[in-house]
Amino acid sequence: MKPVIVLGSGLAGYTLVRELRKLNRDIPVTLVSRDSGDYYSKPMLSNAFAQNKDATSLVLTPASEMAKQLGITLLAHTDVRAIHRHEKRLDTCSGALEYDRLILALGADPIRIPLQGDATGAVLSVNDLTDYAQLRDALGTAKSIAIMGGGLIGCEFANDLAVAGYAVTVIDPGPYPLASLMPEQAGKQLLEPLTKLGVTWRFGTAVQRIDKATSGYALTLAGGTVVHADLVLSAIGLRPRIQLARDAGINVNRGIVVNERLCTDDDSIFALGDCAEIEGRVLPFVLPVMHAGRALASILNAEETRVNFPAMPVVVKTPVHPVAVLPVARDAAGAWQVMASGQGVKMGFFDEQNKMTGFVLTGEYVGERSQMTKMLR
Ligand SMILES: Cc1cc2nc3c(=O)[nH]c(=O)nc-3n(C[C@H](O)[C@H](O)[C@H](O)COP(=O)(O)OP(=O)(O)OC[C@H]3O[C@@H](n4cnc5c(N)ncnc54)[C@H](O)[C@@H]3O)c2cc1C
């Protein structure tokens, strides 16, 4: 019997296999990953510095132990280069593999924007354990860090690195932190405590060039201002890994396109996690990955299941002023309203029928997530 082959050993790949094993221990599973296959929690990467954790100590379960626990064949450090759909075969860097069903859990790549200058190659981004190890090495003698992007990941790193004692400057084209997720009043609640922690902000602008300086780097911003830093970290977003699927003729858009059964337009090939576009939505967060993993396990076990996402608030790990947000679409009709304010703010987004369709909680209100979720209609 040919195996189910899962490509990727991130949260999506491992959640799926774990859920499948709860239902069925007999289906042969091969998990193929170009990384080590060690199991870790990716959200820890932007919270580990202040705790002085290195990459090794972030590994929760080594790959060999995962393989044993789950009863799977695990091929680590194995890059998959092509999918031959009609023969149900993969080309990998160490030979061909045949599958019965194929699961794409390939994740996403950090977005790189074109920059000028002689030090553009020095820009780091952190999307896996290897990146995190590199960041720690690079931070060895650094004192100052410029972070490109004041969104979720940028703010989390700003908090973490500022607590760890680095001088952090965040550069973002928006007017305040997390501007794509929440209204100004909530953004300012986060801005103040991070500023008190020592974070410097450059809003309404973007990095255009990065050059080597006598010490560290000189970042030239739109408008001509120059910011100096010993290290540059990019946190401007992720792009789903779709190339492997596209080359195989599988339907892709922003992500690998799947239906509510997480199936691509090839009925032997499924996708979930950061690489997938599920019914038009790319949802690069832990909770949707868990829901999709559970649903796909049932589907592979021949159960009639469809993925169904409840309201899934995103928690921003900025301990200096925590935030939980259920964002609304950029063009949603309605308005944000303050529901309470004190050491933080509680806001709801109300549509034209006065129904709450989104919310943001900061500071002292962040614990009210489940009450707010119940209020959604
Ligand atoms: C710094 C950071 C902090 C975050 N914090 C939060 C948070 O607080 N809350 C939250 O909800 N979400 C958070 N997220 C998002 C969340 O962690 C991700 O949505 C989730 O981990 C994605 O899992 P994944 O398995 O889809 O992708 P990944 O973990 O990226 O896994 C992809 C896998 O595919 C493998 N792969 C890729 N290409 C190939 C190939 N060609 N051949 C073989 N293998 C391949 C890779 O080696 C890897 O094993 C955070 C993300 C980051 C980067």
Side-chain angles (χ1 to χ4, degrees), residues 12-24 70 289-298 301:
Y14 273 134
T15 301
L16 165 68
V17 178
R18 218 183 251 130
E19 293 296 327
L20 182 60
R21 283 303 184 233
K22 288 182 195 165
L23 305 172
N24 189 318
L70 296 168
V289 172
M290 311 286 284
H291 282 281
R294 230 168 279 140
L296 186 50
S298 303
N301 196 40

Side-chain angles (χ1 to χ4, degrees), residues 39-372:
Y39 181 67
Y40 73 104
S41 162
K42 190 180 282 204
M44 280 296 294
L45 298 178
S46 48
N47 256 189
F49 225 87
Q51 295 171 42
N52 200 21
K53 292 206 178 234
D54 63 14
T56 312
S57 66
L58 289 179
V59 173
L60 297 171
T61 315
S64 54
E65 185 57 29
M66 288 302 287
K68 204 155 64 175
Q69 276 178 17
L70 296 168
I72 61 173
T73 303
L74 199 151
L75 305 177
H77 305 295
T78 305
D79 193 16
V80 176
R81 294 176 172 163
I83 303 167
H84 301 285
R85 298 205 278 143
H86 303 295
E87 297 98 62
K88 292 191 159 188
R89 178 169 56 79
L90 305 175
D91 286 346
T92 80
C93 59
S94 47
L97 294 171
E98 291 188 350
Y99 62 83
D100 172 43
R101 284 165 294 173
L102 178 66
I103 318 301
L104 306 175
L106 296 162
D109 282 316
I111 293 174
R112 293 256 166 199
I113 46 165
L115 294 168
Q116 295 172 309
D118 62 12
T120 54
V123 178
L124 299 177
S125 42
V126 176
N127 187 36
D128 58 31
L129 279 178
T130 308
D131 296 341
Y132 178 73
Q134 254 173 23
L135 174 72
R136 278 186 67 92
D137 280 352
L139 277 168
T141 54
K143 291 191 170 55
S144 57
I145 295 149
I147 299 180
M148 294 162 55
L152 187 139
I153 308 277
C155 286
E156 291 185 351
F157 273 112
N159 192 150
D160 201 40
L161 294 169
V163 169
Y166 296 94
V168 177
T169 302
V170 177
I171 303 144
D172 190 285
Y176 56 89
L178 296 170
S180 62
L181 289 179
M182 58 194 209
E184 186 168 1
Q185 195 158 349
K188 295 251 159 96
Q189 295 285 330
L190 178 61
L191 179 75
E192 284 169 26
L194 278 174
T195 306
K196 274 196 196 134
L197 209 57
V199 176
T200 304
W201 305 90
R202 305 283 178 165
F203 289 119
T205 187
V207 177
Q208 292 195 324
R209 348 180 11 108
I210 304 183
D211 294 286
K212 289 184 190 128
T214 323
S215 145
Y217 303 101
L219 287 73
T220 308
L221 312 186
T225 305
V226 176
V227 170
H228 286 273
D230 297 328
L231 192 145
V232 187
L233 180 63
S234 175
I236 56 174
L238 296 171
R239 188 168 285 138
R241 291 188 179 121
I242 59 174
Q243 198 57 44
L244 201 56
R246 175 184 274 153
D247 291 347
I250 294 164
N251 188 16
V252 296
N253 185 34
R254 272 199 308 141
I256 300 167
V257 173
V258 293
N259 60 19
E260 56 190 356
R261 297 188 68 252
L262 301 158
C263 191
T264 65
D265 55 348
D266 178 320
D267 59 15
S268 299
I269 304 181
F270 301 78
L272 80 166
D274 284 7
C275 67
E277 180 175 323
I278 304 171
E279 299 260 284
R281 295 161 81 193
V282 175
L283 299 163
F285 298 107
V286 170
L287 278 178
V289 172
M290 311 286 284
H291 282 281
R294 230 168 279 140
L296 186 50
S298 303
I299 291 161
L300 295 177
N301 196 40
E303 292 166 32
E304 194 44 56
T305 308
R306 280 159 172 55
V307 69
N308 186 11
F309 295 117
M312 295 173 289
V314 178
V315 176
V316 186
K317 304 183 300 297
T318 41
V320 69
H321 192 84
V323 174
V325 57
L326 184 71
V328 288
R330 216 172 275 234
D331 55 355
W336 287 99
Q337 290 173 25
V338 177
M339 300 164 75
S341 66
Q343 299 299 310
V345 70
K346 167 157 88 172
M347 298 179 76
F349 185 87
F350 292 86
D351 69 10
E352 286 160 327
Q353 282 77 48
N354 209 28
K355 288 181 187 163
M356 194 172 78
T357 58
F359 60 80
V360 54
L361 304 165
T362 86
E364 67 168 303
Y365 302 103
V366 86
E368 296 184 28
R369 282 200 305 282
S370 37
Q371 294 96 304
M372 290 294 271

